């Protein structure tokens, strides 16, 4: 019902930190297309507890403060590879082959039916044209052939696919004879692609190859893109992406409205514009590099995608090259997970940086998200002289709904406004962004010794899984979420938000307590972010007398720790005001720096640490940088070396006051109690 809808407006910005004269762009979704008002506000306190100072915000007068026309902007989650439409992909006959590793062939890990999943499709669902290889709702491999005018032929195997098993699959169609072949052959190895030995019993036959008789008609041509790990529902969605990575794709490309999203890995996809025999299929799947194939086979290929080509010692790209002269390159949408072991993983190499030939798989999820890609709603030009502080665009509707879209104004290097810097732990904010622990963690009640009390944000995120989860959550197939983006509404980074763990402000609203204290005590301060320190290094810190951390700087990048080390070694003062800091290794993905710095952050949870999930063997290294993930202490950077103290254990009971000792009156420390 309309009046019961939670959070009817949500939004995000193109950047979280801006300097004077920079423009900040805002993207807003209005559930029912309602108009809304936006006001830029400076935030001082975000805790509504009546025993404290209460909510404190100041409106910043500017031309952007006004009413705007609301627009409904859905968020389309689910990762896939997109190959833009080309007439070379419209064929009369077809052969599709690949290796796949389905992780939810029938249901997710909670037993919810997944439905049909696209594997490799050039399919227009409205016109019923093209072709596609799918997993049907019964978990079986299925070929669809569309002739147009509602004439669709479907050919399905009778044996369902097993979860977490590698399969060599193929399907072919000959329009001259009507012959159709669909095949799946289990590939069982001692490692089974990083998840341990397959549970398949040698006698438990999951292999199947079936021949069918179809009609003798050429495939119906369409203008849909070719998708891997999804299928096209609407060819013209109105959403675009730039394909600047390849010269052939410099113009913006329209993204389809996708559905039938796939959970699992795909490796070595190949495409022929003809029906070829099994010997040829085995040959092209058996060779990782196209150069190894005979000339006559190379010439018969329409597309030969090499997922291991664009991973190296630095990072795994979001784009995948196609190796035939057709150059049908693929663009990664919604950041599928790379750096994962393939069907041929031997466990001799624990990283794609050392053995890329064994890391030719990409893991797709139906709830991945890298960028909401909403239309721009309004902008604000940060004026010269604007105080460095916490800010937000406060969005309100006549119905009383509201959202805050946070950002920070930071000083330009060399133009600092104060001698005190508050280093806002934005990497940690992104790690916990839109977390679902209160709703989905099996032991949430045991963790806090009571029933978690939900906020509107918790309930909204449960109903809108497309907003993505945190790095503390798992995907619908049970694998851990290791990537987080800020180009989406992050409803946990808001004033007034109480976290379920302690039923009080935590992270962002708790850090506003420090801001409120600084304001009340009359201290001048600048705000800088983890993101700034990561990219700017020591230059971002060295002009301050003291740098104060936020309340929970748990997640940190290497360049950020380098800058803090250099700052303190040259005499800078670091005030560690939090807990559980300097713990997890993070990195930023370079493939998104055309959209701004710090867009996507990554963390891999390895074999130790207090964690909600653990990465599978062979998946400990970041696809963003190629570096080993996990805890900083296991790379020799102990927590205690940053600020002289560190975390030993945790618990969630009560917080109480402290008692001062006589030593606290020493002039060297007494200033901290003033």
């Amino acid at each position: 019902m309309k009046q019961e809808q939670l959070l009817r407006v949500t939004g995000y910005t193109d950047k979280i930190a801006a300097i004077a004269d920079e423009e900040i762009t805002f993207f807003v979704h209005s559930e029912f297309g309602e108009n809304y008002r936006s006001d830029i506000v400076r935030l001082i306190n975000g805790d509504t507890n009546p025993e404290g100072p209460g909510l404190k915000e100041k409106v910043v007068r500017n031309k952007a403060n006004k009413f705007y026309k609301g627009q409904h902007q859905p968020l389309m989650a689910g990762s896939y590879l997109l190959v833009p439409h080309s007439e070379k992909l419209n064929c009369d006959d077809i052969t599709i082959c690949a290796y796949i590793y389905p992780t939810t062939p029938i249901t997710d890990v909670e037993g919810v039916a997944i439905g049909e999943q696209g594997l490799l499709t050039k399919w227009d669902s409205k016109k019923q044209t093209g072709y596609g290889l799918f997993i049907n709702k019964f978990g079986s491999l299925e070929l669809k052939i569309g002739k147009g005018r509602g004439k669709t032929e479907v050919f399905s195997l009778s044996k369902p696919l097993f979860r977490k098993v590698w399969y060599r699959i193929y399907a072919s169609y000959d329009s001259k004879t009507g012959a159709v072949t669909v095949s799946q052959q289990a590939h069982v190895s001692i490692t089974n692609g990083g998840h341990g030995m397959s549970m398949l019993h040698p006698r438990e036959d999951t292999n199947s190859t079936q021949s069918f008789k179809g009609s003798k008609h050429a495939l119906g041509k369409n203008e849909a893109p070719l998708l891997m790990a999804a299928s096209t529902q609407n060819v013209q969605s109105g959403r675009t992406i730039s394909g600047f990575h390849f010269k052939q794709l410099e113009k913006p490309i329209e993204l389809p409205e996708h559905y039938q999203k796939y959970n699992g890995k795909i490796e070595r996809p190949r495409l022929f514009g003809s029906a070829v025999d099994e010997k040829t299929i085995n040959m092209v799947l058996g060779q990782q590099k196209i150069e190894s194939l005979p000339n006559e086979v190379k010439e018969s290929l329409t597309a030969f995608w090499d997922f291991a080509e664009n991973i190296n010692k630095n990072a795994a790209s979001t784009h995948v090259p196609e190796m035939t002269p057709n150059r049908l390159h693929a663009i990664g949408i919604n950041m599928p997970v790379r750096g994962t072991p393939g069907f041929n993983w031997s466990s001799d190499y624990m990283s794609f940086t050392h053995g890329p030939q064994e890391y030719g798989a990409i893991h797709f999820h139906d709830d991945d998200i890298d960028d909401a890609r909403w239309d721009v709603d309004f902008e604000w030009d940060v004026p010269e002289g604007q105080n460095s502080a916490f800010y937000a665009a406060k969005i309100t509707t006549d119905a009383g709904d509201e959202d805050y879209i946070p950002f920070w104004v930071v000083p330009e290097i060399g133009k600092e406004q104060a001698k005190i810097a508050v280093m806002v732990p934005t990497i940690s904010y992104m790690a916990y962004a839109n977390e679902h622990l209160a709703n989905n963690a099996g032991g949430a009640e045991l963790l806090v010794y009571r029933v978690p009390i939900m906020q509107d944000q918790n309930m909204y995120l449960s109903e809108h899984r497309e907003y993505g989860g945190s790095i503390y959550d798992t995907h619908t197939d049970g694998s851990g979420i290791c990537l987080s983006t800020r180009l989406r509404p992050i409803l946990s980074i808001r004033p007034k938000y109480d976290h379920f763990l302690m039923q009080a402000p935590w992270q962002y609203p708790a850090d506003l307590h420090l801001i409120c204290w600084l304001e009340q005590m009359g201290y001048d301060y600048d705000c800088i972010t983890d993101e700034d320190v990561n990219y700017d290094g020591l230059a971002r810190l060295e002009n301050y007398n003291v740098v104060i951390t936020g309340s929970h700087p748990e997640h940190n990048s290497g360049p950020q720790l380098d800058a803090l080390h250099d700052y303190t070694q040259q005499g800078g003062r670091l005030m560690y005001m939090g807990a559980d800091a300097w713990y997890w290794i993070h990195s930023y993905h370079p493939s998104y720096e055309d959209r701004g710095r710090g867009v996507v952050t990554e963390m891999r949870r390895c074999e130790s640490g207090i964690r909600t999930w653990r990465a599978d063997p062979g998946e400990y290294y970041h696809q963003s940088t190629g570096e080993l993930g996990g805890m900083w202490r296991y790379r020799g950077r102990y927590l205690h070396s940053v600020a002289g103290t560190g975390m030993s254990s945790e618990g969630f009971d009560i917080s109480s006051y402290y008692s001062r000792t006589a030593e606290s009156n020493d002039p060297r420390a007494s200033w901290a109690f003033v």
Side-chain angles (χ1 to χ4, degrees), residues 337 365 431 437 441 469-475 478-484 555 584-586 601-617 619-622 629-630:
V337 176
H365 304 92
L437 292 177
S470 75
I471 291 178
Y472 284 77
D473 298 313
T474 54
H475 293 289
S479 59
I481 297 177
C482 61
L483 297 154
S484 178
H555 300 259
W584 293 111
I585 299 167
H586 267 258
T601 185
E602 178 177 11
M603 183 193 74
R604 302 282 177 120
R605 299 181 185 275
C606 301
E607 294 173 340
S608 186
I610 301 171
R611 60 208 189 279
T612 53
W613 56 268
R614 189 183 73 183
D616 287 313
E619 299 187 9
Y620 298 165
Y621 286 75
H622 289 203

Side-chain angles (χ1 to χ4, degrees), residues 14 16 426-427 430 484-487 531-532 534-535 587-590 592-593 595-601:
D14 67 330
I16 59 173
T426 50
I427 299 178
M430 287 180 66
S484 178
T485 176
R486 60 171 177 75
L487 294 181
E531 180 183 292
D532 299 312
N534 177 88
Y535 285 92
S587 60
Y588 290 114
H589 204 297
Y592 288 83
E593 290 182 358
R595 277 172 261 186
R597 61 191 197 179
V599 170
V600 171
T601 185

Side-chain angles (χ1 to χ4, degrees), residues 518-631:
L518 289 168
E519 291 275 346
Q520 187 159 331
M521 299 302 294
Y523 289 107
D524 294 327
Y525 63 91
D526 284 344
C527 287
I528 59 176
T529 70
D530 287 353
E531 180 183 292
D532 299 312
V533 179
N534 177 88
Y535 285 92
D536 299 333
L538 178 62
R540 176 52 74 179
L541 303 173
E542 61 185 352
N543 294 325
Y544 293 106
N545 288 348
V546 61
V547 173
I548 308 174
T549 74
S551 60
H552 198 83
E554 177 185 4
H555 300 259
N556 310 94
S557 70
Q560 178 198 10
L561 293 184
D562 291 344
L564 287 171
H565 172 81
D566 293 344
Y567 172 72
T568 54
Q569 288 303 300
Q570 69 176 26
R573 298 172 176 86
L574 176 64
M575 292 183 65
Y576 173 28
M577 302 296 289
D580 191 14
W582 337 116
Y583 199 81
W584 293 111
I585 299 167
H586 267 258
S587 60
Y588 290 114
H589 204 297
S591 290
Y592 288 83
E593 290 182 358
D594 64 301
R595 277 172 261 186
R597 61 191 197 179
V599 170
V600 171
T601 185
E602 178 177 11
M603 183 193 74
R604 302 282 177 120
R605 299 181 185 275
C606 301
E607 294 173 340
S608 186
I610 301 171
R611 60 208 189 279
T612 53
W613 56 268
R614 189 183 73 183
D616 287 313
E619 299 187 9
Y620 298 165
Y621 286 75
H622 289 203
Q623 70 188 72
S624 305
T625 57
E627 66 184 297
L628 176 64
M631 298 173 63

Side-chain angles (χ1 to χ4, degrees), residues 227-445:
L227 303 185
M228 300 181 217
S231 182
T232 298
Q233 185 171 32
N234 179 9
V235 175
Q236 297 178 328
S237 71
R239 303 163 76 240
T240 60
I241 184 174
S242 174
F244 70 96
H245 288 268
F246 299 105
K247 290 183 178 179
Q248 298 91 330
L249 308 177
E250 288 176 347
K251 295 181 180 179
I253 296 165
E254 187 157 15
L255 290 177
E257 184 178 348
H258 66 285
Y259 77 135
Q260 295 177 323
K261 298 170 286 188
Y262 168 67
N263 287 312
K265 298 180 184 181
I266 298 177
E267 184 172 4
R268 299 191 184 184
R270 318 290 194 231
L271 185 67
F272 294 86
S274 60
V276 302
D277 58 26
E278 187 173 8
K279 179 181 178 181
T280 303
I281 291 168
N282 290 338
M283 185 184 300
V284 298
L285 287 178
Q287 296 297 330
Q288 189 168 47
K289 301 299 180 183
I290 194 170
E291 294 81 7
S292 303
L293 295 172
N295 287 334
E296 63 271 17
V297 175
K298 287 192 285 188
E299 292 169 2
S300 66
L301 278 161
T302 299
F304 184 104
W305 291 282
D306 184 356
F307 288 0
E309 177 68 19
N310 256 18
I311 59 175
N312 53 44
K313 63 181 180 180
N314 297 318
S317 172
T318 56
H319 289 53
V320 175
E322 193 276 301
M323 310 310 291
T324 74
N326 293 328
R327 294 295 184 259
L328 298 168
H329 303 309
I331 304 168
I333 308 298
N334 283 335
M335 187 57 82
V337 176
R338 304 198 67 181
T340 65
F343 76 95
N344 60 342
W345 189 58
S346 65
S347 79
D348 291 340
Y349 305 99
M350 295 304 291
S351 166
F352 66 88
T353 63
H354 303 136
Q357 69 277 9
E358 295 186 6
Y359 283 80
I362 298 179
H363 195 160
F364 302 90
H365 304 92
D366 60 10
D367 52 1
D368 281 331
I369 179 70
D370 66 355
D371 185 348
R373 296 184 175 89
W374 288 351
D375 292 335
V376 175
D377 284 85
F378 62 94
E379 296 97 7
W380 182 51
D381 292 317
V382 180
E384 188 70 35
Q386 188 69 41
N387 287 340
S388 176
F390 280 57
Y391 291 88
K394 183 179 181 181
I395 309 298
T396 56
T397 69
D398 289 341
D401 200 30
E402 71 175 15
D403 189 25
Y404 288 82
I405 307 174
F407 61 94
W408 292 266
V409 172
V410 301
E412 188 176 348
I413 294 175
K415 296 183 180 180
E416 290 79 7
Q417 302 169 357
K419 288 299 181 180
I420 299 172
V422 176
M423 185 173 64
V424 184
T426 50
I427 299 178
S428 294
Y429 292 174
M430 287 180 66
Y432 284 94
N434 290 349
E435 54 95 352
H436 292 73
L437 292 177
N439 310 64
N440 299 111
E445 291 88 349

